[in-house]
Amino acid sequence: MKSFYDFNRSNPQERQQRNSLYPELANFHLALREELSEEEYQAFYRAEKEAARRQEVMSKPKKHKWISTSY
């Protein structure tokens, strides 16, 4: 499943889908846009998107290679 930050904000259909999947986060971001300057909001959005990407990478299961020895 896509995270909130994986959707294309420029695409109305994707933005609508994102807002329906993440209504509370969408409302939070709407409120932030009203409170912050555009530059501040964009910096916050980029930081959150990067943090979500790092969290996704860290939560992926690691594949372990088993070492087998034949005797």
Side-chain angles (χ1 to χ4, degrees), residues 2 5-15 18:
K2 283 183 168 181
Y5 301 99
D6 291 335
F7 290 89
N8 180 354
R9 296 183 292 168
S10 301
N11 182 315
Q13 289 86 10
E14 284 201 35
R15 196 169 52 244
R18 178 197 70 184

Side-chain angles (χ1 to χ4, degrees), residues 1 6 10 14 23 26-27 31 37-38 46 48 52-53 55 69:
M1 182 196 250
D6 291 335
S10 301
E14 284 201 35
N27 288 335
S37 70
E38 185 62 24
R46 282 191 301 273
E48 288 295 305
R53 189 175 299 129
Q55 180 67 26
T69 57

Side-chain angles (χ1 to χ4, degrees), residues 5 8-9 12-14 17 21 23-24 26-27 33-34 39-40 44 47 52 54 60-61 65 67-69:
Y5 301 99
N8 180 354
R9 296 183 292 168
Q13 289 86 10
E14 284 201 35
Q17 183 182 15
L21 290 172
E24 291 176 356
N27 288 335
R33 285 194 95 132
E34 292 177 5
E39 186 177 297
E40 290 172 320
F44 175 83
R54 274 192 247 123
K60 286 187 179 179
K65 293 184 178 178
I67 300 172
S68 62
T69 57

Side-chain angles (χ1 to χ4, degrees), residues 19-51:
N19 292 348
S20 68
L21 290 172
Y22 301 99
E24 291 176 356
L25 197 50
N27 288 335
F28 173 72
H29 277 269
L30 285 174
L32 270 181
R33 285 194 95 132
E34 292 177 5
E35 295 296 321
L36 301 175
S37 70
E38 185 62 24
E39 186 177 297
E40 290 172 320
Y41 176 75
Q42 292 303 326
F44 175 83
Y45 189 90
R46 282 191 301 273
E48 288 295 305
K49 186 174 184 174
E50 182 61 31

